[in-house]
Amino acid sequence: MKTYKPFFICCLLLTTMSCTKDLLNTIPKDRLASELFWKTQEDAVFAANGIYSILGNQWRYASMDAFTDLGHFILQWRSESEVEKHTFDASNNVIASEWSYYYSIVRAANNFLENVDLVTEMDEELRNRLKAEAKVLRSFSYINLVMLYGPVPLVTTSLNVEEAKSVTRTPENEIWDFVASELTSAAADLPAIQEERGRVTSGAALGLKARAMLYAGRYSEARSAAKAVMELGVHAIDDSYKGLFDYAGENSSEVIFARQQAKNIQQHAMFAFFTANSLFSQQCQVVPTKSLVDAYLMKSTGLPIDDPTSGFDQANPYLDRDPRLYHTVYLNGDMLANGKTLNTLPGSGTGDDITISAENVTSTGWYFKKYVSEADFGDPWNCGVNLIYLRYAEVLLTYAEASIELGEIDQSVLNALNEIRGRKDVAMPEVTITDQGALRQLVRRERMVELAMEGHRLFDIRRWDIGENAIRGTVKGMTYKNSNGNYTTVELTGYVKEFDTEKHYLWPIPFRELNLNKGLTQNPGF
C-alpha cells in the first residue's frame, strides 16, 4: 500500500484538475472567505470570540515568573533556561514566540475593528460592546509588548506584506497614551458584569488601565483607574486565597479577567507543569526558589524571617508563616494528591529526593501548589481551572502603590492593603505604618507573595530597577540539617543567572523580525 498510495493521490489530483477549469477560483473550504463573512450579527460575535481564543495557556503564564528570582526552570536544555539565566540572544525562540503571540492578538483585533461595521443589520449596543472588547484585548497585548521589548511598532490597522516590512518602533509614551485612551473609551461601552463568563468588563478595562499606568510611572492615572474599579461595587477580595486557584474560585467576584478553560475542550497542563516527581515522573518543569519562600513573613509578628525578633525558628522553618506560603508552595510534610507526604530531603528514598539525578525532580526542595488542583490528579495534562490575568487584589495593590509613590498616604491606602491581608484564610497582622519608604517596601513584598507565579514579577523587577540584586547569582533552595547536624542550604552552584544592567531590562527584538523588516532597530546590548 505504501508504494501505490502516492501515485493514486497524484492521479486523483490530475483527474480533478482536468475536469475542473475553475479549480483555482473556488471558494476555500478550510476557512471563511471575506466575501462570505461579515454578513450577520452572529459573524461579528464569532469574530470577537476568535480574539479570545488566542489567549495563551500555562506555558507563557507560569514560565514568566521562572525568568525571575521566584522560580527556576529545571529543564536546562530548553530555551526557557537561557531566558532565566539571561544568556539569551535575539535568536531565542521564547523571545520570538512572545512577540508573535501578542501581535497575533493585535492582528485579530485590528481585523475585527476594521470589518465589524460591514455587518449592517446588528444591534448597535452589541456592536459597540464587541468593539470595546477588541480594544481591551489589543491594549492588553501592547502593555505586555512594551514591558518586554520597550518601544514596539504601534499597529492599529491590518497590514499587507510590504507594509509590515516597513513599520518602525513607536516611542513608549505614545503607546501608553494610546493604551490609556483605548481602555478609557472601552470602559464606557462595557458592562460591569457580562452575561457570558470570560468576556472583558468595564472593570477589566479600568483594571488594565491602572496596571498600564503603574508600569508607565503615571501614578495619578493609575490611582484614579484603580479607584474607579473599587467604586464599581462589583469586585471584592475572596475569603479563600486557596480557592481562587482551584475550580471553586472560578465564579469569584475577585476575578476580573481570566482565560476560560474546560477539561477536554480548552484544557491546560498546570498540574503536570508543577507536579511532584513522585506523582508523575518526568513532567515538572518549574519550581520555587529560596527568594520566594523566604519572602513570606511570620504570621504572629508580621516581621521578615531575617529579623531577630520575628520568632522564626530554623528548626521549624515553615511554622507560623504567612498562610499564602502554604497555598502557593508544596513544603516538606505537605500531603500530596495521592495521599502521601512530600519528602524532598536527601536520602529520603522518595521520588522527590533532591539528590535524584533526574531533570524533573525539584532542584530546590519545593514544588508549586498554585493551580495544582487535586481534581486533576487523574489526568494532569487535562486541567480546566481558569487562568487569572487580572484580579481585584492586584487593583488594590496598584491603588496602594500609586498612592504611596504620589505621597498621598491616608487610611484608604492602609485599608486596601489590609483588605488583601485580612482575607479569612490569610489573616495577616494589619498594616499601620505610614512612612513612605517603609510602605514602599511593604507593598513590593506584598506584590511578590500575593501575585507569585501569576506573571507579574518580571515587569515589577524592571520598573523598580532591581534586576541586578533580584536576579543575578545562583539559584538557592531549602535549608536542612545534614548528616553532621549542621544546617546547609541547597545551592545550584553550576547554574548562574546573569543580569547586565545595560541591556537586560528589555528583551531583544527577535532576530527574524529584524531580518524581515530593516526599519526595525535593535535594543542596546544586542
Side-chain angles (χ1 to χ4, degrees):
M1 291 297 294
K2 290 183 180 179
T3 305
Y4 296 107
K5 186 181 291 186
F7 175 75
F8 171 78
I9 293 174
C10 288
C11 290
L12 179 61
L13 287 173
L14 287 171
T15 302
T16 305
M17 291 175 68
S18 64
C19 295
T20 311
K21 293 188 296 182
D22 296 325
L23 177 66
L24 299 180
N25 296 320
T26 57
I27 296 172
K29 292 183 172 60
D30 62 339
R31 57 193 171 280
L32 290 170
S34 57
E35 293 82 3
L36 299 179
F37 203 64
W38 303 111
K39 300 296 183 184
T40 67
Q41 182 168 290
E42 188 178 48
D43 290 345
V45 174
F46 285 158
N49 292 349
I51 310 173
Y52 286 96
S53 70
I54 305 172
L55 291 173
N57 58 19
Q58 84 284 347
W59 294 106
R60 56 184 37 86
Y61 181 95
S63 292
M64 200 58 68
D65 275 4
F67 301 150
T68 73
D69 53 339
L70 303 191
H72 170 51
F73 206 95
I74 57 180
L75 303 182
Q76 297 185 24
W77 49 270
R78 290 182 58 118
S79 298
E80 286 86 351
S81 185
E82 288 183 357
V83 180
E84 179 192 347
K85 291 188 295 184
H86 287 73
T87 57
F88 54 81
D89 58 26
S91 65
N92 182 281
N93 63 23
V94 173
I95 306 295
S97 66
E98 290 302 290
W99 176 285
S100 297
Y101 163 62
Y102 287 114
Y103 270 114
S104 67
I105 297 175
V106 169
R107 183 170 59 250
N110 287 345
N111 180 68
F112 177 87
L113 292 168
E114 288 175 337
N115 290 288
V116 68
D117 286 339
L118 295 176
V119 181
T120 56
E121 296 184 9
M122 184 174 180
D123 178 78
E124 287 306 311
E125 184 177 345
L126 174 62
R127 189 196 307 274
N128 291 333
R129 175 169 69 78
L130 295 179
K131 283 183 177 180
E133 292 179 25
K135 289 178 180 180
V136 171
L137 296 175
R138 181 171 63 180
S139 295
F140 170 72
S141 298
Y142 275 118
I143 292 169
N144 290 284
L145 283 166
V146 171
M147 293 305 294
L148 289 172
Y149 306 97
V152 295
L154 178 58
V155 181
T156 58
T157 60
S158 298
L159 304 177
N160 60 37
V161 174
E162 291 307 312
E163 290 170 333
K165 288 182 179 180
S166 61
V167 294
T168 57
R169 302 177 71 172
T170 305
E172 286 186 28
N173 278 338
E174 290 184 26
I175 300 176
W176 290 132
D177 288 343
F178 174 79
V179 166
S181 175
E182 289 283 280
L183 291 173
T184 300
S185 65
D189 289 323
L190 287 169
I193 300 174
Q194 291 266 27
E195 290 184 10
E196 293 179 283
R197 278 183 10 196
R199 292 192 176 279
V200 293
T201 60
S202 58
L206 293 167
L208 287 173
K209 181 183 177 182
R211 177 190 293 179
M213 295 301 94
L214 186 72
Y215 287 175
R218 301 181 181 183
Y219 299 119
S220 181
E221 292 178 76
R223 186 179 190 275
S224 294
K227 187 176 181 181
V229 179
M230 295 159 67
E231 291 175 345
L232 286 174
V234 171
H235 302 288
I237 292 298
D238 197 295
D239 283 341
S240 174
Y241 186 80
K242 176 183 179 181
L244 271 175
F245 309 100
D246 209 326
Y247 292 96
E250 292 192 340
N251 294 315
S252 171
S253 64
E254 181 169 341
V255 178
I256 301 176
F257 175 30
R259 176 68 158 95
Q260 299 300 294
Q261 309 285 168
K263 284 177 174 287
N264 302 311
I265 300 173
Q266 192 64 245
Q267 70 271 27
H268 58 78
M270 289 292 268
F271 194 108
F273 205 62
F274 292 158
T275 191
N277 188 66
S278 60
L279 294 184
F280 296 98
S281 63
Q282 303 297 298
Q283 293 193 30
C284 181
Q285 299 181 45
V286 177
V287 294
T289 64
K290 179 178 174 64
S291 296
L292 174 61
V293 173
D294 284 0
Y296 292 90
L297 303 172
M298 298 298 292
K299 180 176 171 61
S300 297
T301 62
L303 296 172
I305 65 172
D306 58 359
D307 187 313
T309 65
S310 68
F312 176 71
D313 180 5
Q314 192 173 33
N316 297 285
Y318 311 129
L319 181 66
D320 189 40
R321 300 288 293 278
D322 181 336
R324 286 173 291 190
L325 170 61
Y326 313 138
H327 304 318
T328 303
V329 178
Y330 272 110
L331 308 164
N332 269 331
D334 281 354
M335 185 78 71
L336 295 172
N338 62 355
K340 296 184 178 180
T341 301
L342 176 66
N343 189 343
T344 63
L345 291 171
S348 64
T350 70
D352 301 305
D353 186 326
I354 200 169
T355 60
I356 294 177
S357 57
E359 64 181 6
N360 297 87
V361 177
T362 177
S363 48
T364 62
W366 304 296
Y367 293 103
F368 275 109
K369 186 179 290 186
K370 251 184 184 179
Y371 287 110
V372 180
S373 172
E374 292 188 5
D376 296 326
F377 172 54
D379 194 356
W381 292 93
N382 185 21
C383 309
V385 179
N386 292 343
L387 303 180
I388 303 170
Y389 290 135
L390 174 67
R391 55 189 177 91
Y392 190 55
E394 183 196 340
V395 172
L396 294 179
L397 287 168
T398 296
Y399 177 82
E401 183 178 352
S403 300
I404 292 165
E405 295 304 322
L406 289 168
E408 299 178 8
I409 301 169
D410 56 19
Q411 189 60 42
S412 70
V413 176
L414 303 185
N415 289 345
L417 293 171
N418 290 327
E419 193 173 344
I420 298 168
R421 292 161 61 101
R423 65 172 97 226
K424 287 185 179 179
D425 68 350
V426 174
M428 287 293 289
E430 284 196 353
V431 177
T432 57
I433 57 174
T434 56
D435 175 75
Q436 185 184 40
L439 271 177
R440 178 181 291 124
Q441 295 308 311
L442 185 146
V443 79
R444 290 185 178 188
R445 184 188 292 264
E446 279 298 306
R447 286 185 64 91
M448 188 176 180
V449 300
E450 173 71 21
L451 305 175
M453 292 313 285
E454 295 182 51
H456 299 277
R457 182 63 174 172
L458 181 63
F459 298 162
D460 285 348
I461 285 173
R462 290 181 172 185
R463 63 192 182 85
W464 294 334
D465 196 26
I466 61 171
E468 182 177 5
N469 294 325
I471 293 178
R472 186 184 292 173
T474 57
V475 174
K476 294 182 177 65
M478 66 180 183
T479 299
Y480 63 96
K481 187 176 289 188
N482 62 25
S483 57
N484 296 323
N486 299 317
Y487 287 103
T488 183
T489 297
V490 172
E491 181 175 7
L492 308 184
T493 55
Y495 194 95
V496 181
K497 297 185 181 185
E498 301 177 10
F499 195 90
D500 185 339
T501 57
E502 298 299 316
K503 71 176 186 179
H504 285 144
Y505 279 108
L506 291 175
W507 282 355
I509 304 301
F511 180 71
R512 70 187 185 197
E513 300 300 327
L514 296 173
N515 263 353
L516 292 169
N517 182 359
K518 302 305 179 183
L520 292 177
T521 56
Q522 185 56 280
N523 283 328
F526 296 99

